[in-house]
Amino acid sequence: AMISPLLSEVVAGRAPELMTFTVDQYHQLTQSGVLLEGAPVELIDGVIVCKDRRDGEGSTMNHGPNHGFVVSELFEILRSQLHVATHHVRNQLPVTLTDCTEPEPDLAVVVGMRADYLKRHPGPADIRAVIEVADSSRNYDRTTKQRVYASANIPTYWVVNLPENRLETFRQPDPKAGIYQALAVVDAVGTAELMIETDEVLSVPMTSLFPPA
């Protein structure tokens, strides 16, 4: 996609600041039909950003098949192990982190039942883990998304690195610094453990996400 010359000027300090949106204004854009319901966008720092779910090259508007497989597989693995009375998994749905940031992680493990969120999206206190499945977006997921999730004090953040067939795990958020202090990598034949509560740990075999050729 072409980079807007104006954005380059803003970054260089040669143009006025951009007008940003609040979450409420962002929702109004969908309710009024300016943004289509389910459009592949999310609100980050008040800016509407296209979600990138490609496998390598291609349009950000399209789901890559590998991305879709891993998201679906992870959803089923986590859902099958969760205590359904206390937690559930959300699949590519919004989480409201601040009054100007509402990302749509590929997966989020949240407290409570689905019906608890009839009137609102989960907020930071409701979220136990977020997962992004990344190909061309992986540097963005390691930087901007890490900052967003750590700043919201989300306990665990996972990046499934598709090109390198590995899982990158981030724990111990430092909200003030916007980073996670504990980083680890699980390779394609390892098993990852996702702690939801001190007495609830989910097990994810990497061979389910990265089947041997």
Side-chain angles (χ1 to χ4, degrees), residues 2 54 57 69 77 88 96 130 165 173 194 200 205-206:
M2 185 187 78
R54 300 171 291 173
E57 299 302 319
F69 167 78
I77 291 170
H88 68 280
T96 307
V130 288
N165 282 10
L194 180 58
E200 186 168 10
M206 292 297 102

Side-chain angles (χ1 to χ4, degrees), residues 114-135:
R114 287 189 294 275
D116 295 336
Y117 302 98
L118 279 169
K119 304 293 186 184
R120 67 177 180 89
H121 297 306
D126 307 310
I127 303 164
R128 293 294 175 264
V130 288
I131 301 172
E132 299 285 4
V133 178
D135 190 318

Side-chain angles (χ1 to χ4, degrees), residues 15-139:
E17 294 181 4
L18 299 178
M19 186 190 87
T20 57
F21 293 97
T22 65
V23 167
D24 286 343
Q25 291 169 333
Y26 176 59
H27 290 174
Q28 289 169 24
L29 291 176
T30 300
Q31 292 160 5
S32 65
V34 174
L35 283 176
L36 293 177
E37 187 76 39
V41 296
E42 57 189 0
L43 189 70
I44 305 294
D45 299 337
V47 177
I48 299 173
V49 180
C50 291
K51 293 182 288 190
D52 186 351
R53 289 168 175 166
R54 300 171 291 173
D55 293 342
E57 299 302 319
S59 170
T60 57
M61 302 295 285
N62 297 325
H63 279 268
N66 193 17
H67 179 278
F69 167 78
V70 172
V71 171
S72 299
E73 192 72 12
L74 258 175
F75 178 83
E76 291 299 331
I77 291 170
L78 299 177
R79 184 191 60 80
S80 68
Q81 296 180 56
L82 276 173
H83 297 159
V84 293
T86 57
H87 299 87
H88 68 280
V89 189
R90 287 168 64 92
N91 186 344
Q92 300 177 340
L93 293 171
V95 293
T96 307
L97 301 184
T98 71
D99 61 1
C100 62
T101 295
E102 189 174 87
E104 295 189 9
D106 286 316
L107 296 163
V109 178
V110 302
V111 174
M113 312 286 283
R114 287 189 294 275
D116 295 336
Y117 302 98
L118 279 169
K119 304 293 186 184
R120 67 177 180 89
H121 297 306
D126 307 310
I127 303 164
R128 293 294 175 264
V130 288
I131 301 172
E132 299 285 4
V133 178
D135 190 318
S136 53
S137 69
R138 62 193 183 279
N139 287 331

